[in-house]
């Protein structure tokens, strides 16, 4: 709804359904008894335009999930009921081909029965993206930061493990010589930052895969 010429509000209500994948059912850490996830989400937001080509956004949401598929002590299981409550704030600026955007997101994911945080889900994330795009050539870089997250404990009496947060940088470039063809290349984690992604038990963590580069071409007709 357009409150004022430069101010609008919106709301979304949606439902979703996700069946477990074959990997989640039958891999070494899978569970053939997993049930599908079902969720209902609610969101309300505000968009505000300012001078100097600045756009601000603010939203809050709540997502209720039945039978959430989650990992516990190296095995997948269904969490009967879980709730994700969070919000997002964004800043966007563009001047001709130059652009800059920042997005901060906060989400608290909880098991409704135990009232504890769900594992492997950082509460905070921040993304800063800047670049240049004229429709034919484009280059951009994004800095992504994630806060630490809780993981499972080795035993029932052991303290819950913490997986540290991290910061990484991604770079993307493209060239579109004609409307039907687009060439692109991406480098994820260009600084080759080594960080932990999840706990595996007995003091051992999974780590990220390091720097990764991809290139490709897109055809449209």
């Amino acid at each position: 709804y357009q409150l004022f010429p430069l101010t609008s509000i919106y709301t979304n209500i949606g439902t979703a359904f996700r069946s477990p994948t074959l990997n989640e059912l039958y891999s070494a850490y899978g569970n053939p008894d997993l049930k599908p996830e079902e969720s209902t989400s609610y969101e309300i937001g505000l968009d505000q335009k300012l001078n100097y080509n600045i756009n601000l956004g603010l939203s809050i949401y709540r997502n209720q999930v039945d039978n959430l598929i989650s990992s516990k002590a190296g095995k997948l299981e269904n969490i009967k009921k879980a709730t994700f409550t969070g919000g997002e704030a964004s800043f966007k600026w563009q001047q001709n081909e130059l652009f800059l955007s920042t997005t901060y997101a906060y989400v608290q994911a909880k098991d409704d029965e135990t009232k504890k945080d769900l594992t492997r889900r950082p509460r905070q994330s921040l993304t800063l993206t800047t670049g240049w795009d004229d429709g034919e050539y484009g280059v951009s870089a994004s800095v992504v930061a994630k806060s630490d997250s809780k993981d499972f404990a080795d035993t029932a009496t052991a303290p819950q493990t913490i997986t540290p947060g991290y910061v990484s940088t991604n770079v993307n470039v493209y060239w579109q010589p004609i409307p039907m063809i687009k060439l692109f290349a991406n480098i994820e984690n260009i600084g080759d930052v080594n960080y932990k992604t999840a706990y595996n038990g007995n003091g051992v963590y999974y780590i990220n895969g390091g720097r990764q580069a991809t290139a490709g071409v897109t055809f449209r007709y």
Side-chain angles (χ1 to χ4, degrees), residues 7-186:
T7 307
S8 63
I9 59 173
Y10 63 90
T11 184
N12 294 308
I13 300 176
T15 60
F17 174 91
R18 187 179 82 85
S19 296
T21 65
L22 291 175
N23 187 62
E24 291 171 336
L25 290 170
Y26 303 116
S27 69
Y29 298 100
N31 180 356
D33 297 323
L34 288 175
K35 299 177 182 178
E37 296 180 353
E38 297 183 46
S39 65
T40 303
S41 59
Y42 310 87
E43 180 186 20
I44 184 170
L46 170 73
D47 290 324
Q48 177 67 53
K49 294 182 179 180
L50 301 176
N51 294 330
Y52 308 107
N53 301 319
I54 294 174
N55 292 293
L56 302 179
L58 181 66
S59 66
I60 57 175
Y61 67 89
R62 186 178 181 89
N63 189 12
Q64 297 171 319
V65 186
D66 294 336
N67 298 316
L68 177 72
I69 298 173
S70 183
S71 175
K72 183 177 180 180
K75 282 289 185 180
L76 293 174
E77 62 175 22
N78 285 116
I79 294 176
K80 190 174 181 180
K81 289 185 179 293
T83 300
F84 297 75
T85 305
E88 186 174 291
S90 64
F91 169 94
K92 296 180 181 179
W93 170 84
Q94 184 163 356
Q95 183 67 45
N96 298 324
E97 291 83 9
L98 295 174
F99 63 89
L100 172 71
S101 66
T102 303
T103 302
Y104 169 79
Y106 176 90
V107 58
Q108 185 179 46
K110 281 192 172 294
D111 184 323
D112 288 353
E113 291 187 339
T114 65
K115 306 302 180 183
K116 294 182 178 180
D117 283 4
L118 298 177
T119 60
R120 299 178 178 177
R121 297 180 187 271
R123 282 197 179 188
Q124 302 182 75
S125 63
L126 178 68
T127 302
L128 173 63
T129 301
T130 186
W132 185 87
D133 190 339
D134 67 357
E136 181 179 356
Y137 299 94
V139 58
S140 64
S142 297
V143 178
V144 181
K146 299 280 188 181
S147 65
D148 57 19
S149 60
K150 295 183 178 180
D151 215 314
F152 68 88
D154 285 320
T155 65
T157 58
Q160 198 165 23
T161 307
I162 299 296
T163 298
Y166 64 90
V167 178
S168 65
T169 303
N170 308 319
V171 175
N172 307 281
V173 296
Y174 83 87
W175 174 42
Q176 190 159 357
I178 59 176
M180 294 180 295
I181 298 178
K182 183 177 183 179
L183 305 169
F184 64 89
N186 308 308

